[in-house]
PDB file of all heavy atoms in Angstrom:
ATOM      1  N   ASP A 410      52.989  49.077 -40.757  1.00 96.00           N
ATOM      2  CA  ASP A 410      52.801  48.012 -41.777  1.00 96.00           C
ATOM      3  C   ASP A 410      54.119  47.664 -42.399  1.00 96.00           C
ATOM      4  O   ASP A 410      54.447  46.400 -42.584  1.00 96.00           O
ATOM      5  CB  ASP A 410      51.808  48.458 -42.806  1.00 96.00           C
ATOM      6  CG  ASP A 410      50.377  48.591 -42.316  1.00 96.00           C
ATOM      7  OD1 ASP A 410      50.098  47.896 -41.240  1.00 96.00           O
ATOM      8  OD2 ASP A 410      49.544  49.266 -42.840  1.00 96.00           O
ATOM      9  N   ILE A 411      54.871  48.655 -42.791  1.00 97.00           N
ATOM     10  CA  ILE A 411      56.160  48.385 -43.372  1.00 97.00           C
ATOM     11  C   ILE A 411      57.080  47.631 -42.428  1.00 97.00           C
ATOM     12  O   ILE A 411      57.714  46.587 -42.771  1.00 97.00           O
ATOM     13  CB  ILE A 411      56.881  49.656 -43.860  1.00 97.00           C
ATOM     14  CG1 ILE A 411      56.026  50.458 -44.759  1.00 97.00           C
ATOM     15  CG2 ILE A 411      58.266  49.340 -44.392  1.00 97.00           C
ATOM     16  CD1 ILE A 411      56.468  51.860 -45.013  1.00 97.00           C
ATOM     17  N   GLY A 412      57.093  48.141 -41.173  1.00 97.00           N
ATOM     18  CA  GLY A 412      58.001  47.490 -40.134  1.00 97.00           C
ATOM     19  C   GLY A 412      57.606  46.077 -39.840  1.00 97.00           C
ATOM     20  O   GLY A 412      58.406  45.202 -39.585  1.00 97.00           O
ATOM     21  N   GLU A 413      56.319  45.846 -39.808  1.00 96.00           N
ATOM     22  CA  GLU A 413      55.838  44.424 -39.524  1.00 96.00           C
ATOM     23  C   GLU A 413      56.225  43.529 -40.727  1.00 96.00           C
ATOM     24  O   GLU A 413      56.642  42.421 -40.431  1.00 96.00           O
ATOM     25  CB  GLU A 413      54.350  44.420 -39.240  1.00 96.00           C
ATOM     26  CG  GLU A 413      54.057  44.895 -37.861  1.00 96.00           C
ATOM     27  CD  GLU A 413      52.527  45.068 -37.524  1.00 96.00           C
ATOM     28  OE1 GLU A 413      51.734  44.875 -38.464  1.00 96.00           O
ATOM     29  OE2 GLU A 413      52.212  45.214 -36.341  1.00 96.00           O
ATOM     30  N   GLY A 414      56.030  44.069 -41.928  1.00 96.00           N
ATOM     31  CA  GLY A 414      56.485  43.216 -43.131  1.00 96.00           C
ATOM     32  C   GLY A 414      57.929  42.866 -43.085  1.00 96.00           C
ATOM     33  O   GLY A 414      58.295  41.772 -43.475  1.00 96.00           O
ATOM     34  N   LEU A 415      58.727  43.750 -42.604  1.00 97.00           N
ATOM     35  CA  LEU A 415      60.227  43.589 -42.474  1.00 97.00           C
ATOM     36  C   LEU A 415      60.583  42.811 -41.278  1.00 97.00           C
ATOM     37  O   LEU A 415      61.748  42.454 -41.047  1.00 97.00           O
ATOM     38  CB  LEU A 415      60.982  44.913 -42.555  1.00 97.00           C
ATOM     39  CG  LEU A 415      60.752  45.871 -43.660  1.00 97.00           C
ATOM     40  CD1 LEU A 415      61.576  47.154 -43.413  1.00 97.00           C
ATOM     41  CD2 LEU A 415      61.383  45.210 -44.968  1.00 97.00           C
ATOM     42  N   LYS A 416      59.578  42.511 -40.446  1.00 97.00           N
ATOM     43  CA  LYS A 416      59.838  41.984 -39.039  1.00 97.00           C
ATOM     44  C   LYS A 416      60.877  42.863 -38.291  1.00 97.00           C
ATOM     45  O   LYS A 416      61.717  42.332 -37.686  1.00 97.00           O
ATOM     46  CB  LYS A 416      60.282  40.532 -39.117  1.00 97.00           C
ATOM     47  CG  LYS A 416      59.248  39.507 -39.503  1.00 97.00           C
ATOM     48  CD  LYS A 416      59.242  38.365 -38.518  1.00 97.00           C
ATOM     49  CE  LYS A 416      58.236  37.183 -38.994  1.00 97.00           C
ATOM     50  NZ  LYS A 416      56.832  37.658 -39.066  1.00 97.00           N
ATOM     51  N   ALA A 417      60.619  44.111 -38.503  1.00 97.00           N
ATOM     52  CA  ALA A 417      61.524  45.087 -37.915  1.00 97.00           C
ATOM     53  C   ALA A 417      60.970  45.772 -36.641  1.00 97.00           C
ATOM     54  O   ALA A 417      61.660  46.169 -35.731  1.00 97.00           O
ATOM     55  CB  ALA A 417      61.843  46.252 -38.873  1.00 97.00           C
ATOM     56  N   ILE A 418      59.643  45.844 -36.626  1.00 97.00           N
ATOM     57  CA  ILE A 418      58.906  46.527 -35.438  1.00 97.00           C
ATOM     58  C   ILE A 418      57.846  45.513 -35.022  1.00 97.00           C
ATOM     59  O   ILE A 418      57.059  45.036 -35.828  1.00 97.00           O
ATOM     60  CB  ILE A 418      58.232  47.819 -35.880  1.00 97.00           C
ATOM     61  CG1 ILE A 418      59.399  48.783 -36.421  1.00 97.00           C
ATOM     62  CG2 ILE A 418      57.515  48.463 -34.754  1.00 97.00           C
ATOM     63  CD1 ILE A 418      58.776  50.107 -36.997  1.00 97.00           C
ATOM     64  N   ASP A 419      57.752  45.285 -33.662  1.00 96.00           N
ATOM     65  CA  ASP A 419      56.734  44.416 -33.190  1.00 96.00           C
ATOM     66  C   ASP A 419      55.956  45.151 -32.052  1.00 96.00           C
ATOM     67  O   ASP A 419      56.370  45.208 -30.826  1.00 96.00           O
ATOM     68  CB  ASP A 419      57.404  43.130 -32.639  1.00 96.00           C
ATOM     69  CG  ASP A 419      56.387  42.106 -32.182  1.00 96.00           C
ATOM     70  OD1 ASP A 419      55.180  42.444 -31.962  1.00 96.00           O
ATOM     71  OD2 ASP A 419      56.726  40.882 -32.235  1.00 96.00           O
ATOM     72  N   MET A 420      54.854  45.773 -32.452  1.00 96.00           N
ATOM     73  CA  MET A 420      54.045  46.582 -31.498  1.00 96.00           C
ATOM     74  C   MET A 420      53.339  45.672 -30.543  1.00 96.00           C
ATOM     75  O   MET A 420      53.194  45.937 -29.334  1.00 96.00           O
ATOM     76  CB  MET A 420      53.130  47.472 -32.198  1.00 96.00           C
ATOM     77  CG  MET A 420      53.691  48.515 -33.169  1.00 96.00           C
ATOM     78  SD  MET A 420      54.919  49.593 -32.412  1.00 96.00           S
ATOM     79  CE  MET A 420      54.021  50.329 -31.054  1.00 96.00           C
ATOM     80  N   GLU A 421      52.804  44.599 -31.102  1.00 95.00           N
ATOM     81  CA  GLU A 421      51.958  43.689 -30.317  1.00 95.00           C
ATOM     82  C   GLU A 421      52.605  43.193 -29.138  1.00 95.00           C
ATOM     83  O   GLU A 421      52.102  43.142 -28.049  1.00 95.00           O
ATOM     84  CB  GLU A 421      51.446  42.570 -31.270  1.00 95.00           C
ATOM     85  CG  GLU A 421      50.015  42.258 -31.079  1.00 95.00           C
ATOM     86  CD  GLU A 421      49.516  41.305 -32.187  1.00 95.00           C
ATOM     87  OE1 GLU A 421      49.360  41.844 -33.348  1.00 95.00           O
ATOM     88  OE2 GLU A 421      49.427  40.078 -31.941  1.00 95.00           O
TER      89      GLU A 421
END
Side-chain angles (χ1 to χ4, degrees):
Chain A
D410 289 340
I411 302 167
E413 281 173 353
L415 298 175
K416 290 228 186 299
I418 300 175
D419 190 336
M420 297 306 302
E421 220 167 286

